Structures are given as C-alpha cells and as structure tokens.
Amino acid sequence: MSYSTLLTSLDNGIFTITINRPDKLNALNKDVFTDLDQAVEEIQNDPAIKSAIITGAGPKAFVAGADITEFNGLSKAAAMALAKRGQDIFFKIENCTKPIIAAVNGFALGGGCELAMACHFRIASDNAKFGQPEVNLGLLPGYGGTQRLTQLIGKGRAIELLISAAMIDAATALQYGLVNYVVPAGELLNKAIAVLSVINTKAPLAIAACIEAANAVFDETRNGYATEINAFGECFVTADMKEGTSAFLEKRKANFIGK
Ligand code: COA
C-alpha cells in the first residue's frame, strides 16, 4: 500500500514506517492518523511482515506531537473524539501481534512520546528528546500518555514530567527505562534492524502470546496470570512448539512457520 504521509519499506520481514512531514517535525495530523491506522492493519494482515519499526523523517524529530493547528476551535465533544481516535490507534499498535518498535530519532514530544510508548519498546538516537509538554498548552496528554508514562517509568517520575513539561534527553530516558538502547544517530535504524532480525527468528505465535500476556498486566478487564496459563496451553498445541522442542533435542536451528 502507499500512504500520503508515511514512507514504508519491507526488507527481510521488517516493515519500516517513516512518518514523513519533516517540515512540521512529523506532527500527527488527521492524515497521519488515518495512514498509521491503515499501516498497522497492513502489518497485522500481511504474512510477509514479521515485525515493524516506526521512525520519523529528517534529522530533527521522531514526532513533535499532535498537530497543534488542528486544535483550534474544537468543542469538548470534538476534543474527546480526537483523544479517543488517537487512543484507539495506539491501542491497535500496542495490541498488534507482531512486534512494533519505535526508533526515536529526535524530538518525541506530546503525541510523539505517546506514539513511541504505544510501541512494544523503544530505541533512541543519542540526540533524542522525550517529553509531554501539553501543560504548556493548557492540556494534558490525550493519547494514553498519562497511563503509559506512569506504567513505564513509575508514578513519581511520570507526574513530574507531566506537570513540569520538562524534556529529558536520551541518557535520562535510558536511565528511566523509557528506552532499551541509546545509539549514535547514524546507527539507529541498523540497531533496530539488528534487534528485530533476532526476534524474527523466534516462533511468531509465541511472540504474539508474550505481547498479549505482557499487555494483560495493564488491562484491568483481564487476569494476566490466567491469560498466561491459557496462552501457554495454546502454544503447546502448535506445530512451532513441536518444531522448537525437536530442534533443541536434535541440536539444530528451529525453522518456525507461525502455526
Ligand atoms: N504541531 C504543529 N506544528 C508543529 C508542531 C506541532 N506539534 N511542532 C512543530 N511544528 C512546526 C512548527 O510550527 C514549525 O512550522 P513552520 O516552519 O511552518 O513555522 C515547524 O514545525 C518547525 O518547528 P519549530 O518550532 O520552528 O522548530 P524548533 O527547532 O524551533 O523547535 C520544538 C522544536 C519541538 C521544541 C518545537 O517545535 C515545539 O515546541 N513543538 C511543539 C511541541 C508540543 O507542544 N507538542 C505537544 C503537542 S500536544
């Protein structure tokens, strides 16, 4: 598929999505949301895609937030609908059964930080900056930021960032556990590809089960331990479980088929 606001490519099972509005620091407008929604469907439905990377175009920004020009004159109901739309798309990313990681190549502010946090994990370039500056606009994050920031870095640090609008650098994000790796800017995509290349050799249904069970921790409608038990049982009757255990016993590399 082609998208008006995204560049996409597929290499060795890794689908790279580049949000492509560099002159507006890749701010998330309606069109980007529509495209992201479709792109996550593409990741979910295309058997050739094993995992994905989301990054931003240009050297400066991953995503500098929701597009503030679209905020003008919104009613309360329209603002709530906007937040719900953003949250729904970010839930779709979070619940995608294939790994989606953020390669954060600069500013990840507001909706950009929220997008990165909806991904399964994050890798940052050394010039990346993270923050939720909404209080500067008389707002709070609307795309899940108050929830995921608290989940990822703990309540005290999250509330300080939320209410101060402070930006943290990549080293601090690493120390807080917001990102898994910090690498020089020129190595960011190669690092993301290297990490996903290893993951892509693992059993797809088991990967999906890990994502589902980890997400269940933060879903009060679900019991995470029960989710784990159920998924464990389901994995036991897959061809890939037989392949994985046989390959171990036969001292060879497993060849998983996702069934
Ligand atoms: N929405 C809409 N446009 C945005 C934007 C956003 N969130 N963030 C940046 N832009 C636009 C700027 O308006 C500017 O457009 P212009 O060239 O047509 O004037 C362009 O992107 C470049 O941004 P600029 O502010 O000139 O770059 P900078 O290097 O001086 O500052 C930032 C970079 C990220 C610090 C600054 O752009 C900023 O604070 N952005 C808003 C961050 C924010 O509040 N996000 C949360 C939104 S809820």
Side-chain angles (χ1 to χ4, degrees):
M1 274 197 71
S2 76
Y3 301 95
S4 67
T5 66
L6 309 177
L7 303 172
T8 61
S9 63
L10 177 61
D11 285 302
N12 292 320
I14 301 174
F15 189 63
T16 301
I17 297 172
T18 306
I19 300 174
N20 189 31
R21 299 184 71 211
D23 52 325
K24 298 292 174 193
L25 304 188
N26 305 317
L28 302 173
N29 65 6
K30 281 198 189 90
D31 293 340
V32 178
F33 269 127
T34 302
D35 284 351
L36 268 180
D37 193 7
Q38 273 301 117
V40 183
E41 297 272 337
E42 185 175 353
I43 294 166
Q44 190 64 70
N45 297 329
D46 184 345
I49 298 176
K50 291 187 162 188
S51 58
I53 299 167
I54 300 180
T55 193
K60 210 166 155 182
F62 172 70
V63 167
D67 190 320
I68 298 169
T69 62
E70 290 185 348
F71 285 2
N72 233 345
L74 289 189
S75 65
K76 177 180 175 186
M80 288 172 70
L82 179 69
K84 175 80 168 61
R85 168 107 175 113
Q87 287 195 8
D88 284 348
I89 294 167
F90 289 2
F91 276 132
K92 217 165 172 175
I93 292 172
E94 186 169 58
N95 291 310
C96 184
T97 62
K98 300 175 188 178
I100 302 179
I101 68 172
V104 180
N105 57 307
F107 290 113
L109 301 177
C113 189
E114 291 173 293
L115 170 61
M117 292 192 294
C119 293
H120 295 123
F121 58 91
R122 290 141 292 283
I123 300 175
S125 59
D126 51 10
N127 64 329
K129 294 239 172 0
F130 296 81
Q132 297 289 162
E134 286 86 350
V135 290
N136 288 334
L137 305 171
L139 286 172
L140 78 165
Y143 306 152
T146 59
Q147 307 303 294
R148 292 194 182 94
L149 191 63
T150 308
Q151 290 161 8
L152 284 165
I153 69 172
K155 188 173 165 186
R157 284 170 169 164
I159 290 185
E160 183 184 357
L161 286 188
L162 291 166
I163 68 178
S164 66
M167 266 190 232
I168 56 170
D169 61 14
T172 308
L174 184 65
Q175 190 206 330
Y176 282 10
L178 188 56
V179 303
N180 292 14
Y181 307 92
V182 176
V183 297
E187 289 169 28
L188 179 63
L189 281 183
N190 282 343
K191 178 68 182 178
I193 289 165
V195 169
L196 287 179
S197 297
V198 173
I199 291 171
N200 285 354
T201 66
K202 313 302 176 193
L205 295 175
I207 287 173
C210 289
I211 292 171
E212 184 192 8
N215 281 339
V217 174
F218 304 104
D219 182 346
E220 63 190 24
T221 67
R222 307 190 67 179
N223 177 319
Y225 289 97
T227 302
E228 185 180 278
I229 287 172
N230 189 48
F232 193 71
E234 280 177 1
C235 283
F236 257 80
V237 295
T238 62
D240 278 349
M241 187 272 185
K242 289 185 190 71
E243 166 65 8
T245 46
S246 305
F248 176 80
L249 296 172
E250 292 160 18
K251 301 191 188 306
R252 63 175 173 82
K253 247 180 105 182
N255 182 23
F256 294 117
I257 57 170
K259 287 184 182 152

